[in-house]
Amino acid sequence: MKKTCIAMLLAGGQGSRLYALTQSVAKPSVPFGGKYRIIDFPLSNCANSGIDTVGVLTQYRPLQLNSYIGSGQPWDLDVNNGGVYILPPYQSAGEKGSWFSGTANAIYQNLAFIENYDPENVLILSGDHIYKMDYADMLRDHLEHDAACTISVLQVSLEEASRFGMMNLGEDGYINEFEEKPKHPKSDLASMGIYIFNWPKLRHYLIADEANPNSKHDFGHNIIPAMIADGEKIWPYHFQGYWRDVGTITSLWDANMDMLSPDLINLYDPDWPISARSPICPPHQTGPHAEISHSIVTEGCEIDGHVANSVLSPSVRIDVGARVLYSVLMNGAVVEAGATVEYAIIGENTVVRAGAHVGNAPDGSEAWGVATIGPDVEVRPGASVPAGAMISKSEEV
Amino acid sequence: MNDFHGLIFAYFTNPNLRELVNVRTAASLPFCGRYRLIDFSLSSMRNAGIYDVGVIMQRDYQSLLDHLGGGKAWDMARRTGGLRMLPPFGLPEYHRGNYSGTMEALIAVRSYIQDIPAKYIVLLLGNMVANIDLTKPMEQHRRSGAEITALCTDRSGDGFRMTYVKGEDGLLKKILVDTADPKAGPVSMEGYIINRDTLLNMIEDCRKESIHLFHREALPRFLQQGGRMDCYVHTGYSVLVRSVDSYFKANMDMVDPAIRHELFPADQPVFTKVREEVSTYYAEGAYSRNCLVADNCIVEGSLENCVVFSGARIGKGAKLKNCIVMSDCVVGADSKLDYCIVDKDVSFSPGTVLTGNEKLPLVVPKGSAL
């Protein structure tokens, strides 16, 4: 059956800048905001926008992501004629088979999946963005402007512009130039890495790009510039609202802290729920010494210590006398009695033993940073982990 | 194929549960911040590999149906078998009242039981709070040659009301009704593992004789006729919820980590319908001690010795002590509640004061606006 629009979610990134957190899991399955994993945001946006067919492109450590997505039931994506599909790289008869060499190549390798649904349009999403967005509204904009491609854009300050792909508009409002991380930006419209393509057009450009041995097979570097060069109509969809790329430790920590501020992003809005697969634990418990302030706490947690300005995923345990400040604690993390965790990200099932100290408050120095401890690490009793450190399982302290 | 089939009695609405069962049966009472009582019998069966389960219901079952859905949460949405709802059918035309006893309920669903292909049937009460590893009594039943294995508990509580008397051969010889005395013998959880053919014979016999009571009539008859009944004692937290008091106490028990861990061991998960979508937020100045708080709450006030279900909004300056607050309640700023059981969808305007007593917790009916 023909579909108006299906989504392809790029979830293959290794997330090398988060490396302690992504040594054994793909970035989209990193816990986020208490209840969630990063991929819950684009998946929920799809479900809320009425897009019922989603291909999730994976190639790096997909095991946990696969089991997390499962049938797609938590996002109501377990439907007849559609649903959520994990699409790893594969080998065809007589071919050598290869890893996805770029974002565009990943889609190219799954032409058969897309053609199965014969869609009019294809929405390209990234698995490492935190935002709420109505893709149906973007699709309307795309169709109204008869665009070959619509790119979701966000207004950024000129200082930030050098980190993004920037869009320059012609007088007609269509995009006429794309600059990747410009030193001297000409506009303040940054690409959010969210595209809707007219499928026949995209198909044409993907095949042409694949034949070009000099291409990086990337949407931002190759496909979009090629379309602009050919004079295709590329429309900017002006997004207003909260949007964060969580590709770095600092941005991941910042975005988690943002979840404490409903004026930035309201997770309690019943009209646009972000859904997650629930581990089904009993509710969280507060003990006789618990102190909790300006924090997010999730099912299965047991808290008898002091928690402030922090985000706790399911089944975190904070023992009596422990202090957790300005930190992100992922599923099953434990902070034992008398330990302190501040300005830190603690990975899944990591244990901070009694009296240990992880992270430090900002001291204004250049070297300061959020302390990060990967999953399944044991921080020994009384040990000290300095600000900005990044520790993974192989280098326990 | 599994040799065991489950049957859950979910039709009770005990009058001692007062306003709590105005709108639901005891089996669908919300429990421990996110569960319903029936989750325990369903999960015990599911964890023992019993996926074919009939739930016997009679009236006020809308909330139960809503909770059970197709049985997906317990992996009981199966191509063949799976979860089956058993509202009354095949009852005489003149029958308009409640089932007068467990045996009458079984007679009412006998055509379902006749079609059960499994050799053994596990019967559990839907208002049971216990996480039983059923594989042990199932194995015992298979080996012992007894026609019935009665599930018993090593705990005490006001919900228990039957004790068995053991004979010299170790089998059960007698039932003391309205007695829960561990000194006299094993105390009944009113759950059984029974050979299907034995159950069908009992049903046929009782139907002819118009016998409706299971413990007072049917079981003594079975024993008199030389039936072999063995028992299995479950060691672990167990409660049968039959009154507001036992409901309140069982919920409050869950705040104690040792008791909660006993009821929710990692290798025997309790499954339930998932509804929460978001974590709970504690504002600056919030207070929460000795509480269980489900997801999707916003807490600005103070909670002490409370069990709070999802979707609650606890306003600034509100003080709740010794309360159970069910889903989607709004407690306005500066309200003070003590010893209250607040049913679903209740809203308190700012400054409301309500005080119950430890001996008599105040029940605020579903949907009230104060």
Side-chain angles (χ1 to χ4, degrees), chain A residues 59-286:
Chain A
Q59 67 179 357
Y60 175 79
R61 296 267 182 192
L63 178 62
Q64 197 181 18
L65 192 60
N66 289 359
S67 67
Y68 186 72
I69 293 174
S71 68
Q73 187 264 335
W75 306 272
D76 285 337
L77 289 171
D78 55 337
V79 295
N80 293 314
N81 184 36
V84 55
Y85 293 87
I86 307 277
L87 304 171
Y90 62 92
Q91 198 172 15
S92 302
E95 286 176 17
K96 225 174 99 206
S98 64
W99 297 103
F100 299 147
S101 57
T103 51
N105 174 259
I107 305 297
Y108 174 81
Q109 289 203 30
N110 286 287
L111 283 179
F113 171 80
I114 299 174
E115 287 181 341
N116 200 20
Y117 290 100
D118 190 19
E120 289 160 27
N121 303 280
V122 173
L123 167 67
I124 308 287
L125 299 171
S126 168
D128 49 7
H129 296 164
I130 303 298
Y131 62 114
K132 298 203 289 190
M133 181 173 176
D134 186 356
Y135 304 136
D137 191 52
M138 180 173 171
L139 180 61
R140 271 193 296 276
D141 211 23
H142 171 74
L143 296 174
E144 262 171 37
H145 292 91
D146 190 30
C149 169
T150 296
I151 303 177
S152 188
V153 296
L154 189 74
Q155 218 168 6
V156 297
S157 65
L158 289 180
E159 299 85 74
E160 286 177 298
S162 60
R163 300 196 289 116
F164 290 100
M166 300 305 292
M167 303 289 150
N168 301 329
L169 310 187
E171 279 176 10
D172 56 2
Y174 287 85
I175 293 166
N176 62 11
E177 195 183 3
F178 173 86
E179 288 182 293
E180 187 67 40
K181 296 176 182 152
K183 286 208 174 72
H184 305 288
K186 293 179 211 155
S187 89
D188 60 355
L189 294 177
S191 164
M192 296 160 64
I194 299 164
Y195 315 104
I196 295 178
F197 289 96
N198 171 287
W199 171 238
K201 297 259 189 208
L202 176 61
R203 191 174 180 282
H204 166 78
Y205 280 94
L206 285 175
I207 292 168
D209 180 71
E210 195 59 26
N212 176 3
N214 298 320
S215 172
K216 289 158 111 178
H217 308 305
D218 182 85
F219 278 105
H221 280 98
N222 308 103
I223 302 289
I224 309 281
M227 292 178 88
I228 291 174
D230 288 357
E232 296 285 359
K233 285 161 103 175
I234 311 221
W235 180 253
Y237 173 71
H238 295 267
F239 176 75
Q240 283 168 336
Y242 183 88
W243 177 86
R244 294 289 185 278
D245 180 318
V246 289
T248 65
I249 289 293
T250 312
S251 63
L252 180 66
W253 181 84
D254 272 337
N256 267 287
M257 292 299 131
D258 288 345
M259 297 303 121
L260 296 169
S261 305
D263 46 332
L264 286 174
I265 179 167
N266 183 7
L267 300 172
Y268 296 88
D269 174 9
D271 293 336
W272 201 268
I274 305 299
S275 302
R277 185 177 289 281
S278 167
I280 317 191
C281 316
H284 74 261
Q285 181 229 336
T286 56

Side-chain angles (χ1 to χ4, degrees), chain A residues 34-36 268 273-275 278 280-299 302, chain B residues 32-35 255 257 260-261 264 270 274 277-284 286 288-296:
Chain A
K35 190 90 182 174
Y36 309 111
Y268 296 88
I274 305 299
S275 302
S278 167
I280 317 191
C281 316
H284 74 261
Q285 181 229 336
T286 56
H289 312 96
E291 286 173 29
I292 311 173
S293 171
H294 192 47
S295 291
I296 280 173
V297 185
T298 311
E299 61 182 285
E302 295 185 358
Chain B
C32 187
R34 76 175 300 180
Y35 303 92
V255 183
R260 196 173 63 253
H261 292 165
F264 296 93
V270 179
V274 173
E277 307 265 278
V278 52
S279 306
T280 277
Y281 171 70
Y282 285 97
E284 248 173 290
S288 171
R289 282 188 179 171
N290 290 318
C291 290
L292 276 176
V293 184
D295 286 342
N296 191 16

